[in-house]
């Protein structure tokens, strides 16, 4: 039996006229593709390629095998489409909910992988600021949604029939303008050191943040600016301008377009967990995307 990957490599060389160009098309390095072709030649028991300084061309044996390989690969593609149709992964609409940070920085490569695997499924992406995505899934307005929860906070029960799977856990960190005294030092900063410091209160009325806001107030942080937007871009811009300090997710701090100093907090009980929520009776397309999210993020891993 010939390996389909190696057959595809032979067809690519036949079409590109060069191992280097075929490797670029397939996402291999040229040496890696040469190894695959050498293995195919051993499987075939014949020389399939003649390599020369301008590229490579197929021998008569290579032409024969490449012609057969095209038909085999076409049949395999057709089989994949038919199996996808049977599984409910051909056609239809998959409705995905997300929040801003995940929608910009985490979701696109996963959706790209889904589109490559299931090109016939239409995608609709909607912004739901947590916990609205959970409600959308429960109401049937979304097939799945990315959401988040903060610690410290009281756990919120999920609606009946809805399941949440943690994908990513990240610490909340302190951000300050560069050069401020709280940015000095390499070790974690005790939360008690925030007492009397001007704090930019990030969306105090936002349900997921209430527990964090309460803990910072208990530590004695003094609210200098109230930022009622749940988006962090404005918070980071205000911090960078020297209007106060803020506690934000690590990913937000690392991707801020404005200059910030970042310091971890002690104790490290301030966290954000990003999860995917879906109905227990999710369809095949939703199940496939959940699997890609799980593999792409790493189950409850760090960013």
């Amino acid at each position: 039996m010939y390996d389909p990957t190696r057959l595809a490599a032979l067809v690519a060389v036949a079409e590109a006229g060069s191992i280097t160009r075929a490797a670029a098309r397939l996402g291999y390095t040229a040496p890696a593709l040469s190894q695959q072709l050498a293995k195919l030649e051993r499987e075939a028991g014949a020389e399939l390629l003649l390599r020369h300084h301008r590229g490579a061309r197929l021998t008569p044996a290579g032409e024969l095998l490449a012609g057969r390989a095209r038909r085999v690969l076409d049949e395999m593609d057709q089989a994949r489409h038919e199996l996808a149709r049977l599984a409910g992964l051909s056609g239809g609409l998959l409705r995905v909910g997300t929040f801003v940070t995940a929608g910009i920085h985490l979701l696109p490569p996963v959706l790209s992988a889904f589109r490559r695997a299931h090109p016939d499924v239409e995608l609709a992406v909607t912004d739901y600021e947590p916990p609205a995505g959970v409600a959308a899934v429960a109401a049937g307005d979304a097939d799945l949604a990315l959401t988040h929860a903060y610690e410290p906070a009281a756990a919120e029960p999920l609606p009946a029939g809805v399941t949440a799977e943690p994908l990513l856990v990240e610490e909340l960190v302190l951000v300050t303008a560069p050069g401020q005294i709280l940015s000095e030092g390499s070790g974690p900063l005790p939360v008690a050191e925030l007492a009397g410091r001007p704090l930019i209160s990030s969306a105090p009325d936002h349900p997921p943040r209430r527990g964090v806001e309460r803990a910072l107030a208990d530590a004695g942080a003094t609210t200098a600016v109230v930022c009622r937007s749940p988006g962090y871009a404005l918070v980071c811009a205000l911090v960078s301008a020297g209007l106060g300090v803020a506690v934000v997710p690590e990913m937000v701090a690392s991707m801020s377009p404005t200059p910030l100093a970042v310091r971890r907090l002690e104790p490290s009980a301030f966290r954000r967990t990003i999860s995917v929520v879906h109905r227990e009776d999710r369809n095949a397309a939703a199940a496939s995307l959940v699997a890609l999210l799980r593999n792409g993020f790493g189950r409850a891993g760090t960013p």
Side-chain angles (χ1 to χ4, degrees), residues 218-276:
D218 290 344
T222 303
T223 300
V225 178
V226 174
C227 185
R228 298 195 179 277
S229 168
Y232 282 111
L234 178 57
V235 172
C236 291
L238 296 174
V239 169
S240 184
L243 293 173
V245 301
V247 174
V248 303
E250 187 176 10
M251 178 170 54
V252 169
S254 66
M255 295 179 175
S256 171
T258 53
L260 297 171
V262 181
R263 193 161 178 191
R264 295 189 181 278
L265 293 170
E266 179 65 40
S268 58
F270 292 83
R271 301 186 186 91
R272 179 173 77 166
T273 299
I274 297 175
S275 301
V276 58

Side-chain angles (χ1 to χ4, degrees), residues 9-291:
L10 180 66
V11 171
V13 173
E15 294 173 350
S18 160
I19 291 176
T20 300
R21 289 192 293 271
R25 179 185 300 180
L26 296 174
Y28 286 98
T29 63
L33 188 62
S34 292
Q35 290 179 7
Q36 293 295 321
L37 293 167
K39 291 177 181 178
L40 182 60
E41 287 181 319
R42 289 196 293 272
E43 288 175 346
E47 187 178 34
L48 303 176
L49 291 170
L50 292 176
R51 298 161 176 81
H52 52 83
H53 67 282
R54 289 182 296 177
R57 63 181 178 85
L58 273 60
T59 65
E63 292 284 0
L64 186 152
L65 185 56
R68 299 282 186 180
R70 287 187 181 93
R71 290 194 286 274
V72 169
L73 294 171
D74 286 344
E75 287 291 331
M76 292 179 66
D77 282 341
Q78 183 62 30
R80 276 194 289 269
H81 284 300
E82 292 175 2
L83 288 170
R85 191 174 297 113
L86 287 173
L89 287 168
S90 181
L93 173 68
L94 181 63
R95 300 163 302 167
V96 182
T98 185
F99 58 96
V100 173
T101 307
I104 293 174
H105 300 296
L106 300 176
L107 189 58
V110 180
L111 289 182
S112 180
F114 180 89
R115 172 53 55 83
R116 289 194 301 271
H118 311 297
D120 297 329
V121 178
E122 183 181 351
L123 292 168
V125 182
T126 303
D127 180 24
Y128 290 106
E129 184 57 38
V134 178
V137 171
D141 296 328
D143 296 303
L144 73 163
L146 292 175
T147 189
H148 57 54
Y150 284 77
E151 295 178 48
E156 293 290 333
L158 290 171
V162 175
T163 297
E165 181 175 334
L167 297 171
L168 195 71
V169 179
E170 56 179 334
E171 286 187 34
L172 304 187
V173 295
L174 180 73
V175 290
T176 73
Q180 284 200 359
I181 188 169
L182 289 182
S183 67
E184 298 175 359
S186 57
L189 180 75
V191 176
E193 291 294 317
L194 296 179
R197 305 292 183 180
L199 178 75
I200 296 177
S201 181
S202 177
D205 300 327
H206 188 222
R209 285 276 312 194
R210 285 176 187 156
V212 173
E213 297 288 326
R214 191 176 303 112
L216 293 173
D218 290 344
T222 303
T223 300
V225 178
V226 174
C227 185
R228 298 195 179 277
S229 168
Y232 282 111
L234 178 57
V235 172
C236 291
L238 296 174
V239 169
S240 184
L243 293 173
V245 301
V247 174
V248 303
E250 187 176 10
M251 178 170 54
V252 169
S254 66
M255 295 179 175
S256 171
T258 53
L260 297 171
V262 181
R263 193 161 178 191
R264 295 189 181 278
L265 293 170
E266 179 65 40
S268 58
F270 292 83
R271 301 186 186 91
R272 179 173 77 166
T273 299
I274 297 175
S275 301
V276 58
V277 292
H278 53 83
R279 295 193 62 82
E280 293 171 357
D281 58 350
R282 66 185 186 271
N283 59 34
S288 178
L289 185 56
V290 168

